Amino acid sequence: MAQHAAKGARFQAVTANRLSDGEVVYWAADNRWVEGFSEAEIADGADAAEALLARAMPADFEAYVLEPYLFEVLEDASFYKPASVRETIRAAGPTVRLDLGKQAGA
Amino acid sequence: MYRYDEFDHKLVADRVDQFRGQVERRVSGALTEDQFKPLRLMNGVYLQLHAYMLRVAIPYGTLRSEQMRMLAHIARKYDRGYGHFTTRQNIQYNWPALDQIPDLLDELASVEMHAIQTSGNCIRNVTSDQYAGAINDEIEDPRIISEIIRQWSTFHPEFTYLPRKFKIAVTGHVNDRAAIKLHDIGIVVKQNDAGEVGYEVHVGGGQGRTPFVAKKMNAFVPKAKLLAYLEAVMRVYNMLGRRDNSYKARIKILVHETGEDEMRRLVEAEFAKIDASQMLTVPQEEIDRISAYFAPPAFETLPADSDGFTKAQTADADFARFVRANVVAHKQAGYAIVNISLKPIGGVPGDATDAQMDVIADLAEHYSLDEVRVTHEQNLVLPHVQLDDLKTVYDVLAANQLATANLGLISDQIACPGLDYCNLANARSIPLAQEISERFADLDRQYDIGELKIKISGCINACGHHHVGHIGILGVDKKGTEFYQISLGGAADENAAIGQITGRAFTEEDIVDAIETVVTTYTDLRTDGERFIDTYNRVGMEPFKERLYD
């Protein structure tokens, strides 16, 4: 999944899928997996990103999630958003079914 | 239709129990994901963008009504109220929870269905002609040999860890509706000069990043020896197929790199050894036993015409258009084959809701001798409908948004799930299919354009069959932005061909206009009666390129 962490990206977050149901989750500042991208901890710089990924992958991480990885986020005015179409869709749900995924409850 | 015997029931039940234990051990932490992943894949469980995805096998695309009803029930109980019919005649559920999948599989097993070998590097679901047993001029119902192949290939110990996945398709008709030449092995039922039924075997077809049309490896394999021949092909592939590079591991690459003649020599040598042992010679009584399951159903003796049917077309123009586009002549007098398009204007190709699946199950039970078929073009079929019942069936379909009269037309597109769902995709496919469908929504215009097959893939893996679309569209990613590349001239039928790329890709904003340009170029250039593919084959790529890029 390393391809999702763009080289030279300044801001990055960590995402994975939850083991029990595959739900998209993000690593939050209080060291837990959360469902909403808005709660994801954002790392500024490559070193901070690696440290963030390391915190998200303690020895027992596989008991909770699958395949955590870094992905690029962009700073847009006062908030962050995923940089790629792929991560934008993961954070919201299928663009062809607005009644499904996280966007359905928004 | 085939019914499970005691061995089938036990085999599937045991597999569900085994998978239940594997899921429990994964959830408890006793198995790591690296250990569990190959096990879940062997049971059809993928991880996609938003959730797990379960792929359920529909052998040779044939369902009984109770099975379709179960698929609806599973969509309702374990998923989000819909399923997606695929280009391999399977169904995929996009949202099942891992810990509920064993219960789901238990319910599937109760109607003789499963998800075994719908993933992984093994022999996958055998696909076939959706009109099997219903169409005129069929040499033999292709589901007979498909079922024999299914039984041979299920849990075949020698072919559980192949270099890559392996797909087999069968047609019993001269008109290939199963895209057999784009499969690892494609089989055509043939009759020789002595009147004996056997099989023409094509090997090494496929799409993906390196598309090939299969090579004819043997013109006539006798019926009893087909499994021995297939085993020989598989054994050569298993021994010599590349395992160092997954992109070069399919049998199409082996055939290409080895050469057709040498591949044939290797297969024939292996075939001779297996044949001499007679270990895989299928006994006639077993062929007869399987054939009996596919004996023609209890057709009534009916007149070839129906006054009521004729009058209903006169009275209802929409029904008449449906008949023109979606209804095909049946081999039995007084019956018809009814195609149900899962491509409503602006809809998601291949998707059906639980309620729609229930409706189709009811129609199959009451009006189609209990049968439904799934097509590789992501539509459904009621194969045996009496002419007298056609208007009633149509009315029910229309009331449930299932009567779009567009079979084989520009809005009847294949589209993979693309970046809306798929972990491998680079670009979205479905929204593009929806936009094209809406652009060409006018049915009269679609009829004027005539047969035109658009096929859309969201990545080079080509699940949307873009290589063999009359117009193919491939989604590509350029620095995080979606672009779409057009190819022209592909075909998936008996004249299978790989399309040629027109040139540089188009942006999301420009691609539908580009498709419109291709279509108007065709309508400007066509002669009377020429389909798109005929005109393309006559005039070639240049006129289309000029209009697209000048």
Side-chain angles (χ1 to χ4, degrees):
Chain A
M1 291 294 171
Q3 71 271 24
H4 303 301
K7 282 183 182 173
R10 177 178 169 185
F11 299 110
Q12 296 186 73
V14 174
T15 186
N17 290 82
R18 192 159 58 202
L19 171 64
S20 61
D21 58 4
E23 177 78 33
V24 174
V25 289
Y26 302 93
W27 186 252
D30 56 354
N31 292 332
R32 65 192 176 97
W33 292 102
V34 296
E35 293 187 13
F37 170 74
S38 61
E39 294 181 75
E41 180 173 351
I42 308 298
D44 186 351
D47 292 343
E50 289 305 320
L52 182 65
L53 184 60
R55 273 176 42 220
M57 297 176 70
D60 64 343
F61 81 91
E62 283 209 326
Y64 307 98
V65 296
L66 310 177
E67 301 176 352
Y69 62 89
L70 288 163
F71 67 101
E72 184 178 9
V73 300
L74 300 175
E75 191 177 27
D76 187 355
S78 60
F79 61 92
Y80 294 96
K81 63 180 184 182
S84 68
V85 177
R86 180 182 196 276
E87 291 305 328
T88 302
I89 291 172
R90 284 183 79 248
T95 65
V96 294
R97 288 293 302 265
L98 302 182
D99 59 324
L100 297 175
K102 299 177 190 303
Q103 61 201 349
Chain B
M1 283 179 60
Y2 182 74
R3 299 302 303 253
Y4 279 13
D5 61 19
E6 62 188 296
F7 302 105
D8 294 312
H9 278 293
K10 183 169 187 334
L11 178 146
V12 173
D14 286 352
R15 183 58 172 257
V16 175
D17 287 346
Q18 183 189 52
F19 188 55
R20 185 182 296 281
Q22 291 163 346
V23 170
E24 287 170 359
R25 280 183 284 149
R26 175 66 186 99
V27 172
S28 74
L31 290 178
T32 67
E33 186 58 21
D34 280 349
Q35 292 167 328
F36 180 65
K37 187 174 180 179
L39 302 175
R40 68 170 161 80
L41 287 174
M42 286 179 180
N43 290 282
V45 182
Y46 289 75
L47 180 67
Q48 297 287 44
L49 289 188
H50 311 288
Y52 291 100
M53 180 271 279
L54 177 70
R55 182 180 294 149
V56 175
I58 301 175
Y60 32 88
T62 295
L63 289 165
R64 297 191 302 275
S65 55
E66 68 162 350
Q67 293 175 316
M68 180 62 99
R69 215 167 269 125
M70 177 58 75
L71 297 181
H73 166 74
I74 284 168
R76 202 158 38 238
K77 181 174 178 181
Y78 297 97
D79 209 80
R80 305 283 169 92
Y82 70 106
H84 177 75
F85 289 96
T86 78
T87 54
R88 299 219 72 252
Q89 299 179 306
N90 293 319
I91 187 169
Q92 294 180 178
Y93 294 103
N94 288 306
W95 306 89
L98 178 65
D99 49 11
Q100 292 185 7
I101 290 176
D103 288 344
L104 185 167
L105 295 175
D106 252 342
E107 296 213 49
L108 262 187
S110 72
V111 294
E112 304 177 357
M113 297 185 78
H114 60 70
I116 296 164
Q117 291 182 205
T118 60
S119 177
N121 293 338
C122 56
I123 300 174
R124 304 286 188 89
N125 187 40
V126 180
T127 55
S128 190
D129 183 356
Q130 66 268 22
Y131 297 164
I135 193 77
N136 254 325
D137 301 325
E138 193 173 67
I139 294 171
E140 180 182 83
D141 190 323
R143 295 173 301 171
I144 297 168
I145 195 62
S146 297
E147 173 58 27
I148 290 171
I149 294 169
R150 187 193 72 79
Q151 295 193 17
W152 160 77
S153 62
T154 298
F155 296 155
H156 193 307
E158 190 175 331
F159 307 134
T160 301
Y161 295 97
L162 294 167
R164 277 291 273 136
K165 58 188 171 183
F166 204 95
K167 300 174 181 178
I168 300 174
V170 186
T171 179
H173 199 276
V174 66
N175 296 328
D176 177 12
R177 285 171 285 268
I180 67 109
K181 293 180 183 174
L182 286 312
H183 282 72
D184 297 287
I185 292 179
I187 298 168
V188 186
V189 183
K190 288 279 183 180
Q191 198 161 28
N192 66 11
D193 293 340
E196 298 162 330
V197 171
Y199 307 99
E200 182 178 279
V201 180
H202 299 251
V203 177
Q207 299 190 61
R209 67 186 59 227
T210 317
F212 285 107
V213 173
K215 309 291 188 296
K216 190 195 293 185
M217 206 54 53
N218 192 312
F220 191 85
V221 179
K223 185 177 278 193
K225 296 176 184 286
L226 184 70
L227 291 189
Y229 191 82
L230 297 184
E231 183 114 340
V233 174
M234 300 301 306
R235 191 165 285 172
V236 170
Y237 170 55
N238 208 15
M239 287 188 294
L240 302 179
R242 289 180 63 168
R243 292 174 187 267
D244 61 324
N245 182 340
S246 64
Y247 298 132
K248 297 183 177 180
R250 297 288 291 268
I251 195 172
K252 62 188 176 184
I253 304 296
L254 177 65
V255 173
H256 178 69
E257 292 185 346
T258 305
E260 182 181 339
D261 291 342
E262 176 62 6
M263 183 73 186
R264 186 176 293 107
R265 190 191 68 75
L266 291 167
V267 169
E268 291 294 335
E270 195 64 40
F271 177 48
K273 282 192 275 184
I274 297 169
D275 189 34
S277 76
Q278 298 201 334
M279 290 286 286
L280 274 171
T281 303
V282 184
Q284 186 58 46
E285 54 267 32
E286 183 61 9
I287 294 173
D288 293 343
R289 187 181 76 86
I290 301 295
S291 298
Y293 285 112
F294 299 99
F299 294 122
E300 292 181 31
T301 302
L302 298 169
D305 299 313
S306 157
D307 282 348
F309 171 54
T310 304
K311 286 176 183 167
Q313 290 181 80
T314 306
D316 184 339
D318 289 339
F319 175 55
R321 293 209 291 191
F322 178 81
V323 170
R324 171 184 164 182
N326 289 29
V327 175
V328 173
H330 199 284
K331 69 179 183 182
Q332 180 73 19
Y335 284 80
I337 300 169
V338 176
N339 286 277
I340 302 170
S341 168
L342 295 182
K343 321 291 173 57
I345 300 303
V348 177
D351 276 11
T353 67
D354 59 328
Q356 288 177 320
M357 286 189 262
D358 273 337
V359 164
I360 293 164
D362 289 347
L363 288 174
E365 184 174 8
H366 293 110
Y367 299 107
S368 185
L369 298 172
D370 209 36
E371 280 195 46
V372 185
R373 308 284 174 76
V374 183
T375 83
H376 91 270
E377 293 184 324
Q378 300 180 284
N379 292 316
L380 300 174
V381 173
L382 296 173
H384 309 302
V385 180
Q386 291 188 12
L387 295 179
D388 285 342
D389 293 330
L390 266 177
K391 182 64 165 65
T392 303
V393 168
Y394 166 77
D395 287 341
V396 174
L397 291 173
N400 290 279
Q401 294 77 52
L402 289 166
T404 310
N406 63 349
L407 197 82
L409 303 176
I410 190 168
S411 62
D412 180 13
Q413 304 161 83
I414 288 179
C416 71
L419 193 52
D420 278 298
Y421 293 97
C422 179
N423 218 359
L424 301 175
N426 292 320
R428 286 170 293 167
S429 304
I430 298 168
L432 178 53
Q434 291 173 314
E435 284 182 49
I436 292 170
S437 167
E438 284 163 354
R439 174 71 68 92
F440 294 92
D442 179 359
L443 273 176
D444 288 330
R445 187 178 180 204
Q446 292 193 50
Y447 296 142
D448 175 62
I449 293 167
E451 182 185 292
L452 208 177
K453 305 206 174 195
I454 295 183
K455 307 188 184 200
I456 308 171
S457 302
C459 78
I460 195 62
N461 291 306
C463 296
H465 291 195
H466 68 277
H467 290 300
V468 291
H470 297 162
I471 300 175
I473 305 174
L474 168 64
V476 295
D477 174 285
K478 291 187 179 180
K479 297 181 179 174
T481 303
E482 296 160 297
F483 280 78
Y484 295 92
Q485 192 177 69
I486 296 175
S487 56
L488 302 177
D493 58 13
E494 59 279 8
N495 301 309
I498 306 299
Q500 299 300 308
I501 296 167
T502 58
R504 64 173 165 75
F506 295 86
T507 64
E508 184 184 357
E509 289 72 32
D510 293 337
I511 180 64
V512 181
D513 286 340
I515 297 302
E516 176 112 34
T517 299
V518 171
V519 172
T520 54
T521 304
Y522 151 63
T523 53
D524 289 348
L525 294 174
R526 68 182 169 186
T527 58
D528 283 350
E530 261 190 348
R531 302 169 303 161
F532 176 91
I533 190 68
D534 302 325
T535 300
Y536 176 83
N537 287 336
R538 177 172 57 82
V539 305
M541 175 66 84
E542 278 312 309
F544 293 94
K545 282 184 81 160
E546 283 176 18
R547 295 268 196 106
L548 281 170
Y549 298 109
D550 281 357

